[in-house]
């Protein structure tokens, strides 16, 4: 039940507040590095549907092939080896209605799939893989926000929460979550406008027991009345967590704009609308919630996906056994045109200019249209054709021309995602530069001129054919993903009406060419149907109204006759686009041709990357490569770490290097766009003091892409003014928002990193100070400064021979003209915390945030044994912590306990973001730890310990499902320069040994954890708003005697600590 950053899942309930970290079961990748956390089921694909590949260019570069967002991203037709052919439906048993055994799948999927429909109408996709190391399931029910009473907004989301409060067979509230967590899994759910998605994963041996618990959500939930007020408070915490986020403020205005006579509305819910107002009106919200469940949750509206290691027959029997009891109430929930005969938005209300004054520093212009519901058009996908044209970034594109004029920093088309069901949305979004703020009319003129070109000429068959070929290629070689990713998406695809035989390919496959549908959709993108949205801080004086959901400053105005005339002339002119330098895309030269898989070396490939010779490749000092023998795809990934002293010499140099990396990427955009469209990706960034260049995708064209990138890196001696304005504008906004508008728990992490690391990063607030006086000329001749003296290390995996990796290394050296090697690497180090417990309290930098945060870290020196034992401790305690502090005490939405690891230390972590006084939250954390450490020392039963041990072991044994996941596992020891690629195997050996016992864990907690140095980072809100009142009888405990020291300053504390701390250096040898 997530409410952060405009994420995919609008409202998601999680057994751990960090459940969005699917591929990293600990918080180490986020809490220790300051990465943003989400608890929803997927990532940001909903906001930028047309441009999911963008993340590979601007993201971490660690995992190219199978991001969570690009799941099932393409289709395949016509290949004899995987042709779907005629769908084979036949009788399955007396208990089931239909089966389908032929389901189109990518080459990488080892699972056997089948489709099953039970007598009660429930549909299921079954995935069987006898070698599976993770099982999972997801169920989508066709009930969402738009099916609740419109005068009780948030009721469907509240119902989603209540299903987790126990069932008749398993009445204990925390039992389901604890079972899943202790057995190596996670669970979550989210409520959308027209459906709700529930899902989990678990170690394969426990699938049947997990399904037994899960299925009873839908046949015998307790829906306990006593939980009502507490779960409403949990819903309210989610609402409060998103109150300053731009996405949720947009949602609030969409909700306000809806036609009152249409069922559509968007509502997360909060205390006001679910508790206070219903009470005042004499409405029993609990009764309304149970009514919604009993009248609408019906088996014939449910779509299920289950993955396990059992055979198809066994899994089908399992599904039948667990889900046959779900009642079929014969309910048909309306979708598409059947929702209402009224329009979802009145044209006179929609066709206006919306102004917004955001909390964060955002400058965006969007054009949005309400279009017919698109899901039934899954075979032809006319929106994909329009997306390709409007989202193209190559030469002559709308985006490229606007960037050349310095008006925008980026642009992307998007849809309505989880808002859709009665209609769809189509938006074209422009992130503005300062110059763009003053040229809205010109941007609109270019957009409508481009639309006029699309509308005045028939669709181009060759463009559709190219998109079809690319999607076939992508689908054939689409990388597999974990069940927690795939199951929710497959269940949702089945719910949306995609044929069971095409449920994997259908979300993106182009099956048929329908030029009429493309032209019809293009015609909807007209002036009389558009909403123009403009948000920027400079609009504060004009935003005199507030939206009814989030009270964000906004105003509606007429678009204006002069503006409409300008745009209308552009739209109606068939030559306007050409006169502005715009044209349709040309054929893509980067489509892979050689898709062969390389022969493996005699004896096969080692399990971990092996060192390759580097003679005559100086300053390349190390190459680690693993030729793929598992996924067998024509893809590869290569990361070049170029260590250079320049960035770490000062925060100014660091900012220069970061901006230079962005400028290189922006300068290559027109060239590289086709490469990314064809399945290649690259990322250039400053990562832990090293210039890091990562390439990935079809290996056939990687050398071509590498040569282009290195040439741009070497020859960009001076940054063109327009290009500089684009990247500087975007960079400045990002670091300012990070410094001033991060969530409180994120501020705790950023401050901790600032305190305890050297040479790894500089804090955002220091970057902001430097950026204010930065000049374009400061970036002149950066290549010579960065690459005068370097040390290069390379990590690669995939479909490359050793000599091909060496050839890429040579191409890098020659392309950048690298010569002089370093004699020692720049210093990187982490600090040991002082003994005892330190409290570090600082004010919240987001003046509008209603939350405090308390973040406790226990620090221990890193070792395999310590890491494993902390994982076990987390398995025992994390679900209990969540249940007590979030579910029972309702301290806040973000509540988590986990273990993590940095380069030199292991950590045991506890975090609460709360509207209660921070001292109270701190006291509750301390009380929990005191009680649970005593419980563990004397009362924890061997059976529970063994369950947790097996759960952690199962997690460690999970194999990568694609090259990206494999590369991510190798990247940690590569970046930290331990090259400890087999650490996971040693962790498995330890946890599977007699040394890892209940007695060993107890001794470890007594002698190591409880005596470890710890720091409690506290972020105190500055908003003039009363804290929540303490629960009846609660008091704030005095913990002053337990504190070894208290810090209340920022810069002074960091400076003093840097002088006194014991620093543990990272490997700097060459």
């Amino acid at each position: 039940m997530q409410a952060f950053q405009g994420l995919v899942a609008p409202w998601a309930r999680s057994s751990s507040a960090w459940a969005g970290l699917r591929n990293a079961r600990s918080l180490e990748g986020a809490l220790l590095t300051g990465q943003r956390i989400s608890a929803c089921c997927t990532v940001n694909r909903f906001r930028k549907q047309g441009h999911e590949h963008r993340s590979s260019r601007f993201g971490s570069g660690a995992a190219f092939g199978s991001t969570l967002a690009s799941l099932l991203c393409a289709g395949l037709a016509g290949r004899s080896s995987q042709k779907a052919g005629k769908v084979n439906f036949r009788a399955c048993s007396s208990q089931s209605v239909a089966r389908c055994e032929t389901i189109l799948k990518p080459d990488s999927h080892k699972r056997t799939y089948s489709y099953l429909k039970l007598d009660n109408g429930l549909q299921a996709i079954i995935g069987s893989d006898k070698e599976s190391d993770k099982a999972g399931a997801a169920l989508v029910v066709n009930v969402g926000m738009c099916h609740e009473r419109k005068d009780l907004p948030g009721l469907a989301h509240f119902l989603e929460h209540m299903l987790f409060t126990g069932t008749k067979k398993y009445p204990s509230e925390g039992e389901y979550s604890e079972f899943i967590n202790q057995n190596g899994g996670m669970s979550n759910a989210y409520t959308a406008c027209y459906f709700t998605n529930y899902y989990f994963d678990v170690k394969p041996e426990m699938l049947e027991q997990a399904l037994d618990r899960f299925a009873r959500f839908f046949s015998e939930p307790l829906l306990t009345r006593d939980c009502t007020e507490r779960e409403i408070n949990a819903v309210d915490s989610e609402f409060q967590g998103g109150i300053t986020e731009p996405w949720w403020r947009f949602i609030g205005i969409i909700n306000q704009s809806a036609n009152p006579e249409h069922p559509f509305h968007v509502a997360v819910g909060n205390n006001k609308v679910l508790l206070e107002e219903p009470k005042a009106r004499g409405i029993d919200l609990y009764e309304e919630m149970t009514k919604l469940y009993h009248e609408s949750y019906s088996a014939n509206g449910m779509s299920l996906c289950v993955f396990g290691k059992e055979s198809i027959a066994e899994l089908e029997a399992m599904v039948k056994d667990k889900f046959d009891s779900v009642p079929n109430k014969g309910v048909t929930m309306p979708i598409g045109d059947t929702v209402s005969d009224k329009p979802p938005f009145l044209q006179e209300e929609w066709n206006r200019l919306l102004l917004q004054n955001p909390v964060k520093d955002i400058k965006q212009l969007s054009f949005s249209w309400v279009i017919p519901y698109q899901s039934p058009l899954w075979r032809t996908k006319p929106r994909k054709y329009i997306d390709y044209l409007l989202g193209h970034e190559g030469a002559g594109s709308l985006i490229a021309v606007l960037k050349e004029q310095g008006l925008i920093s980026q642009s992307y088309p998007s849809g309505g995602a989880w808002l859709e069901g009665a209609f769809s949305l189509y938006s074209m979004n422009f992130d503005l530069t300062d110059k763009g703020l003053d040229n809205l009319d010109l941007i609109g003129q270019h957009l409508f001129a481009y639309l006029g070109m699309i509308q005045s000429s028939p669709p181009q068959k060759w463009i559709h054919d190219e998109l079809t070929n690319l999607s076939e290629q992508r689908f054939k070689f689409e990388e597999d993903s974990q069940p927690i990713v795939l199951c929710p998406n497959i269940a949702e695809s089945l719910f949306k009406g995609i044929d069971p035989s095409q449920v994997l390919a259908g979300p993106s496959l182009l099956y048929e060419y329908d030029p009429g549908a493309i032209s019809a959709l293009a015609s909807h993108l007209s002036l009389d149907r558009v909403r123009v949205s403009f948000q920027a801080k400079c609009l504060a004086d004009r935003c005199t109204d507030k939206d009814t959901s989030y009270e964000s400053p906004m105003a509606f105005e007429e678009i204006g006759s002069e503006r409409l005339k300008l745009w209308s002339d552009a739209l109606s002119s068939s030559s306007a686009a050409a006169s502005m330098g715009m044209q349709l895309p040309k054929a893509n030269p980067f489509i892979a041709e050689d898709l062969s898989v390389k022969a493996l070396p005699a004896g096969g490939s080692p399990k971990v990357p092996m060192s390759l010779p580097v003679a005559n490749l100086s300053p390349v000092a190390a190459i680690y490569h693993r030729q793929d023998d598992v996924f067998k795809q024509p893809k590869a990934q290569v990361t070049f770490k170029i260590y250079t002293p320049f960035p770490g010499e000062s925060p100014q140099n660091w900012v220069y290097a970061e901006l230079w990396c962005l400028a290189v990427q922006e300068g290559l955009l027109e060239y590289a766009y086709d490469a990314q469209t064809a399945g290649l990706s690259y990322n250039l960034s400053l990562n832990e003091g090293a210039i890091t260049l990562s390439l990935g995708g079809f290996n056939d064209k990687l050398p071509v892409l590498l040569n282009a990138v290195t040439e741009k890196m070497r020859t960009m001696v001076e940054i063109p003014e327009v290009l500089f304005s684009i990247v500087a504008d975007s960079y400045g906004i990002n670091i300012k928002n990070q410094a001033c508008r991060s969530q409180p728990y994120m501020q705790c992490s950023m401050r901790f990193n600032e305190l305890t690391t050297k040479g790894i990063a500089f804090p955002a607030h220091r970057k902001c100070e430097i950026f204010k006086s930065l000049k374009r000329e400061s970036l002149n001749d950066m290549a010579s400064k960065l690459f005068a003296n370097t040390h290069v290390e390379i990590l690669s995996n995939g479909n490359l021979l050793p000599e091909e990796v060496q050839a890429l290394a040579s191409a890098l050296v020659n392309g950048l003209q690298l010569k002089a090697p370093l004699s020692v690497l720049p210093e990187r180090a982490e600090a040991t915390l002082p003994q005892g417990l330190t409290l570090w309290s600082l004010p919240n930098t987001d003046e509008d945030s209603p939350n405090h945060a308390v973040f406790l870290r226990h620090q221990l020196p890193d070792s395999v044994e310590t890491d494993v034992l902390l994982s076990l401790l987390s398995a025992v305690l994390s679900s209990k912590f969540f249940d007590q502090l979030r579910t029972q005490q309702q301290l806040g939405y973000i509540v988590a306990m986990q273990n993590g690891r940095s380069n030199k230390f292991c950590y045991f972590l506890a975090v609460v973001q709360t509207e209660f006084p921070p001292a109270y939250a701190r006291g509750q954390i301390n009380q929990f730890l005191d009680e649970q450490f005593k419980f563990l020392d004397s009362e924890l039963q061997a059976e529970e310990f063994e369950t947790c041990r097996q759960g952690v072991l199962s997690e460690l044994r999970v194999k990568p499902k694609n090259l990206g996941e494999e590369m991510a596992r190798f990247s940690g020891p590569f970046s930290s320069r331990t090259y400890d690629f087999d650490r996971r195997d040693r962790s498995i050996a330890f946890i599977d040994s007699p040394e890892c016992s209940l007695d060993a864990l107890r001794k470890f907690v007594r002698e190591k954890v409880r005596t470890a140095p710890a720091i409690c980072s506290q972020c105190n809100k500055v908003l003039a708003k009363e804290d929540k009142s303490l629960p009846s009888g609660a008091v704030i405990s005095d913990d002053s005697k337990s504190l070894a020291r208290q810090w209340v300053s920022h810069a002074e504390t960091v400076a003093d600590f840097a002088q006194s701390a014991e620093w543990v250096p990272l490997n700097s040898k060459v």
Side-chain angles (χ1 to χ4, degrees):
M1 297 181 296
Q2 170 58 334
F4 300 115
Q5 329 181 159
L7 300 165
V8 188
W11 297 287
R13 186 192 196 285
S14 167
S15 62
S16 165
W18 316 109
L21 298 174
R22 293 193 164 83
N23 295 320
R25 302 296 173 148
S26 74
L27 302 184
E28 62 190 73
L31 299 185
L32 297 178
T33 63
Q35 172 185 332
R36 292 188 180 274
I37 311 276
S38 70
C40 69
C41 77
T42 47
V43 294
N44 272 341
R45 73 169 179 183
F46 286 157
R47 295 194 59 196
K48 301 186 181 182
Q49 285 179 323
H51 285 254
E52 293 170 359
H53 57 268
R54 176 178 294 279
S55 61
S56 65
R57 187 171 77 246
F58 295 112
S60 67
F64 302 92
S66 179
T67 65
L68 303 185
S70 60
L71 198 57
L72 307 177
C73 69
L76 169 68
R79 294 193 304 105
S80 59
S81 63
Q82 290 186 346
K83 206 174 217 176
K86 185 176 180 180
V87 178
N88 178 27
F89 287 97
R90 63 177 178 81
C92 175
S93 71
S94 61
Q95 294 296 321
S96 58
V97 178
R99 290 182 63 200
C100 167
E101 294 182 327
T102 309
I103 294 178
L104 192 64
K105 65 178 184 177
D107 285 356
S108 65
H109 286 215
K110 297 178 181 179
R111 296 178 205 90
T112 302
Y113 291 99
S114 74
Y115 167 78
L116 176 69
K117 188 172 183 180
L118 302 180
D119 268 346
N120 60 8
L122 184 146
Q123 301 182 88
I125 295 291
I126 309 297
S128 169
D129 177 6
K130 64 181 181 181
E131 298 180 356
S132 171
D133 47 28
K134 182 69 72 175
L139 186 145
V140 169
V141 59
N142 62 346
V143 179
M145 293 173 288
C146 294
H147 302 112
E148 67 196 12
R149 283 178 53 170
K150 203 167 182 177
D151 65 337
L152 295 175
L155 186 67
H157 178 209
F158 169 55
L159 168 58
E160 173 220 304
H161 273 246
M162 290 293 289
L163 285 186
F164 286 79
T165 59
T167 62
K168 290 181 180 178
K169 184 175 180 180
Y170 304 100
S172 174
E173 274 189 65
E175 198 279 341
Y176 169 75
S177 296
E178 187 167 48
F179 176 86
I180 295 294
N181 183 66
Q182 292 189 345
N183 284 285
M186 60 176 64
S187 64
N188 211 337
Y190 64 87
T191 303
C193 281
Y194 289 89
F195 66 92
T196 305
N197 198 332
Y198 301 84
Y199 56 93
F200 71 87
D201 71 355
V202 73
K203 67 180 184 182
E205 296 79 11
M206 292 298 174
L207 175 62
E208 184 168 9
Q209 292 186 48
L211 279 179
D212 191 51
R213 290 161 169 80
F214 183 65
R216 294 174 191 275
F217 282 25
F218 313 103
S219 60
E220 55 172 51
L222 291 180
L223 302 175
T224 308
R225 180 183 282 273
D226 289 346
C227 298
T228 299
E229 189 163 332
R230 194 183 63 221
E231 291 304 320
I232 291 174
N233 284 330
V235 169
D236 183 73
S237 293
E238 294 182 48
F239 175 85
Q240 297 297 333
I243 203 165
T244 63
E245 295 294 329
W247 172 248
W248 295 108
R249 292 185 164 204
F250 163 77
I251 291 300
I253 295 171
I254 285 287
N255 182 63
Q256 179 178 330
S257 301
N259 182 357
E261 297 184 12
H262 190 280
F264 174 77
H265 66 286
V266 194
V268 61
N270 54 41
N271 281 341
K272 178 182 177 183
V273 298
L274 290 176
L275 190 62
E276 298 164 9
E277 291 181 355
K279 279 185 179 180
R281 290 152 53 200
I283 296 174
D284 187 330
L285 192 81
Y286 173 81
E287 291 295 334
E288 293 298 329
M289 178 272 298
T290 57
K291 181 180 178 182
L292 178 64
Y293 175 82
H294 290 298
E295 292 185 356
S296 60
Y297 269 51
S298 176
N300 67 313
M302 294 180 181
S303 301
L304 175 70
C305 179
V306 176
F307 287 177
K309 68 177 184 178
E310 295 82 357
S311 68
I312 287 290
E314 290 171 323
L315 287 170
E316 287 181 349
M318 195 183 298
V319 167
K320 181 176 61 177
D321 177 56
K322 306 303 180 187
F323 291 91
D324 261 348
S325 58
V326 179
N328 181 357
K329 301 161 188 173
V331 178
T332 301
M333 306 303 287
I335 197 76
D337 292 339
T338 65
V339 170
S340 175
D341 59 356
K342 309 291 185 188
F345 304 93
L346 299 175
Q347 184 167 336
E348 61 271 22
E349 293 291 323
W350 183 263
N351 190 210
R352 294 189 291 173
L353 171 64
L354 167 64
L355 305 178
Q356 291 178 267
N357 175 27
V359 171
K360 295 186 176 182
D361 191 1
I362 293 171
K363 297 174 290 191
Q364 189 175 76
L365 178 67
S366 297
F367 298 80
S368 302
W369 293 267
V370 180
I371 61 176
Y373 184 45
Q374 295 293 296
S375 288
L377 306 178
W378 60 272
R379 298 190 66 86
T380 56
K381 295 184 180 63
R383 183 157 62 184
K384 189 166 188 175
Y385 182 95
I386 305 296
D387 275 350
Y388 179 70
L389 297 185
L390 287 177
H392 204 279
E393 299 183 46
S397 66
L398 167 66
I399 296 173
V401 169
L402 290 174
K403 283 191 170 185
E404 287 169 5
Q405 298 179 52
L407 300 176
I408 65 171
S409 58
Q410 67 172 339
S411 176
Y412 51 90
S414 63
W418 49 267
L419 301 176
E420 298 186 0
F423 59 89
S424 289
L425 286 176
Y426 194 91
S427 298
M428 189 63 186
N429 312 286
F430 300 96
D431 290 350
L432 305 175
T433 62
D434 286 340
K435 182 179 178 182
L437 287 173
D438 299 322
N439 287 278
L440 304 187
D441 291 357
L442 184 59
I443 295 170
Q445 185 183 29
H446 279 74
L447 170 62
F448 285 103
Y450 200 89
L451 286 173
M453 178 175 62
I454 296 173
Q455 294 173 1
S456 63
S457 58
Q460 305 291 302
K461 178 71 160 53
W462 73 265
I463 293 178
H464 187 274
D465 289 346
E466 184 174 279
L467 292 174
T468 300
N469 292 337
L470 284 170
S471 65
E472 289 178 355
Q473 191 176 88
R474 284 184 176 182
F475 184 75
K476 174 179 171 62
F477 299 110
E478 177 64 42
E479 295 180 329
D480 200 0
S481 296
Q482 300 289 351
I484 197 72
V485 179
L486 272 179
C487 287
N489 286 273
I490 291 173
E492 184 180 331
S493 295
L494 197 60
F495 150 75
K496 289 183 175 178
I498 293 177
D499 189 288
S501 69
Q502 306 300 311
V503 74
L504 284 164
S508 295
L509 177 64
L510 288 170
Y511 296 83
E512 302 164 4
Y513 177 51
D514 188 345
I518 294 171
S519 296
L521 177 57
S523 69
H524 271 86
L525 309 184
S526 62
L527 270 171
D528 61 341
R529 293 172 171 164
V530 70
R531 167 169 287 184
V532 184
S533 302
F534 177 30
Q535 57 175 325
K537 300 292 287 184
C538 62
L539 297 175
D541 292 342
R542 294 168 65 183
C543 294
T544 55
D545 296 328
K546 291 187 176 182
D547 83 88
T548 54
S549 296
Y550 290 91
E551 297 186 349
S552 61
M554 46 80 70
F556 280 109
E557 295 180 358
E558 297 304 313
I559 296 175
S561 57
E562 291 186 10
R563 179 176 284 156
L564 287 172
K565 175 67 166 57
L566 178 69
W567 293 350
S568 177
D569 289 345
L571 182 65
S572 60
S573 171
S574 59
S575 61
S579 68
M580 296 175 184
M582 297 185 293
Q583 61 186 16
L584 294 178
K586 296 180 180 179
N588 192 328
F590 275 96
I591 298 176
E593 299 170 27
D594 180 5
L595 298 173
S596 62
V597 176
K598 313 288 184 182
L600 295 171
S605 289
K607 292 176 59 178
V608 298
M610 303 302 292
S611 179
L612 300 182
V614 293
N616 302 317
L617 289 174
S618 180
V620 175
I623 300 176
Y624 294 94
H625 174 60
R626 194 186 104 77
Q627 185 177 342
D628 173 49
D629 62 347
V630 176
F631 309 111
K632 299 176 181 177
Q633 295 189 324
K635 296 180 179 181
Q637 300 183 92
V638 187
T639 295
F640 303 91
K641 282 274 189 183
I642 307 173
Y643 292 93
T644 167
F646 178 80
E649 289 173 350
S650 70
Q652 287 84 356
N653 287 3
W654 195 281
V655 170
Y656 299 160
E658 286 188 328
L659 267 171
W660 178 80
C661 289
L662 292 173
V664 170
Q665 292 182 106
E666 188 63 38
L668 269 173
L669 187 58
E670 291 185 12
Y671 176 86
Y673 180 82
D674 282 333
Q676 293 171 0
T677 302
L680 293 170
S681 61
Y682 84 98
N683 184 68
L684 181 66
S685 64
L686 179 61
N687 186 0
E688 295 193 4
I691 298 296
T692 304
L693 173 61
S694 301
L695 307 175
F698 292 108
N699 56 274
D700 177 37
K701 302 292 185 180
L702 284 183
V704 179
L705 181 59
L706 175 61
N707 290 336
V709 175
T710 54
E711 181 181 1
K712 178 63 72 173
M713 292 169 68
R714 178 175 53 82
T715 59
M716 187 175 277
V717 176
E718 183 177 334
I719 311 297
E721 187 171 346
V722 170
L723 193 154
F724 176 78
S725 70
I726 290 172
V727 297
D729 194 88
S730 178
Y731 180 80
I733 288 174
N734 288 338
I735 60 174
K736 183 177 179 181
N737 286 334
Q738 184 182 7
C740 302
R741 296 294 182 180
S742 290
Q743 289 272 8
Y745 74 91
M746 285 295 303
Q747 295 178 41
C748 291
S749 284
M750 291 189 294
R751 290 163 179 172
F752 177 79
N753 293 339
E754 180 183 2
L755 181 76
T756 59
T757 62
K758 277 185 183 179
I760 292 174
F762 284 98
H765 69 89
R766 294 195 67 185
K767 294 180 187 178
C768 286
E769 295 168 4
I770 294 162
F771 181 78
K772 291 175 184 177
S773 58
L774 184 141
K775 298 184 183 300
R776 178 171 63 95
E777 293 75 20
S778 303
L779 274 63
N780 286 351
D781 205 20
M782 281 297 299
S784 65
K785 298 173 185 176
L786 287 167
F787 305 132
N789 300 91
T790 59
H791 173 96
V792 180
E793 299 186 359
I794 300 169
L795 175 68
S796 64
N797 72 336
N799 190 43
L800 290 172
L801 299 173
E803 56 266 30
E804 291 174 317
V805 182
Q806 291 168 321
L808 291 173
S810 179
L812 178 86
V813 171
N814 294 330
L816 295 180
Q817 298 181 1
L818 303 179
K819 295 177 182 177
L822 289 174
S823 58
V824 64
L825 267 60
E827 180 188 16
R828 295 187 297 165
E830 296 182 10
T832 302
L833 291 175
Q835 281 300 314
L837 175 60
T838 303
L839 174 62
W840 190 19
S841 299
L842 289 174
N844 193 329
T845 60
D846 185 351
E847 60 188 18
D848 296 300
S849 172
N851 287 297
H852 309 278
V854 178
F855 206 139
L856 177 65
R857 290 174 171 85
H858 290 79
Q859 183 193 67
L860 295 90
D862 178 41
S863 70
V864 165
E865 294 76 15
T866 296
D867 192 24
V868 169
L869 289 169
L870 285 178
S871 296
L872 279 169
L873 181 61
S874 173
V876 173
L877 297 186
S878 61
S879 57
K880 295 178 173 67
F881 184 79
F882 183 86
D883 181 60
Q884 289 190 29
L885 274 73
R886 178 180 161 179
T887 305
Q888 303 296 331
Q889 299 177 22
Q890 292 291 302
L891 289 188
Y893 180 57
I894 295 180
V895 173
M897 176 168 283
Q898 260 293 7
N899 64 295
R901 185 164 60 89
S902 65
N903 292 311
K904 288 295 180 180
F905 296 98
C906 293
Y907 290 91
F908 190 58
L909 315 165
V911 60
V912 172
Q913 185 164 292
T914 183
E915 293 182 77
F916 286 103
Y920 176 67
R922 195 171 70 245
Q924 297 308 106
I925 294 173
N926 292 336
Q927 181 179 336
F928 174 87
L929 289 175
D930 287 343
E931 292 174 352
Q932 293 301 318
F933 284 160
K934 292 175 183 177
F935 159 80
L936 188 147
D937 199 48
S938 59
E939 299 178 42
L940 178 65
Q941 298 299 304
E943 182 180 1
E944 182 177 352
F945 169 81
E946 181 60 19
T947 297
C948 294
R949 191 186 71 84
Q950 290 293 334
V952 173
L953 181 60
S954 174
E955 278 291 289
L956 288 169
R957 285 176 171 165
V958 171
K959 297 176 181 178
K961 296 300 182 289
N962 51 63
L963 284 173
E965 290 185 11
E966 181 181 85
M967 187 66 151
R969 291 188 179 183
F970 298 148
S971 293
F974 174 69
S975 294
S976 64
R977 304 190 74 239
T978 63
Y979 316 113
D980 192 9
F981 299 120
D982 65 350
R983 177 171 175 138
R984 181 177 289 258
D985 290 338
R986 290 188 288 113
S987 297
I988 291 171
F990 173 72
I991 198 172
D992 217 11
S993 72
E995 297 175 26
C996 187
S997 63
L998 176 54
D999 287 341
L1001 178 62
R1002 285 171 169 163
K1003 181 179 180 181
F1004 173 73
V1005 171
R1006 281 195 308 268
E1007 299 181 1
K1008 301 294 184 180
V1009 177
R1010 302 195 73 167
T1011 61
I1015 185 168
C1016 184
S1017 305
Q1018 191 166 291
C1019 180
N1020 301 323
K1021 78 177 183 191
V1022 296
L1023 182 68
K1025 178 184 177 183
E1026 291 284 335
D1027 288 335
K1028 280 189 174 180
S1029 300
L1030 299 186
S1032 177
V1035 296
I1036 296 177
S1037 58
D1038 180 9
D1039 62 353
S1040 59
K1041 292 182 179 179
S1042 67
L1043 299 176
R1045 64 197 58 81
Q1046 296 189 52
W1047 298 335
V1048 293
S1049 65
H1050 186 181
E1052 296 87 345
T1053 294
V1054 173
D1056 291 345
F1057 182 78
Q1059 295 298 318
S1060 62
E1062 176 187 343
W1063 291 92
V1064 182
L1066 276 65
N1067 179 10
S1068 62
K1069 296 179 181 179
V1070 298

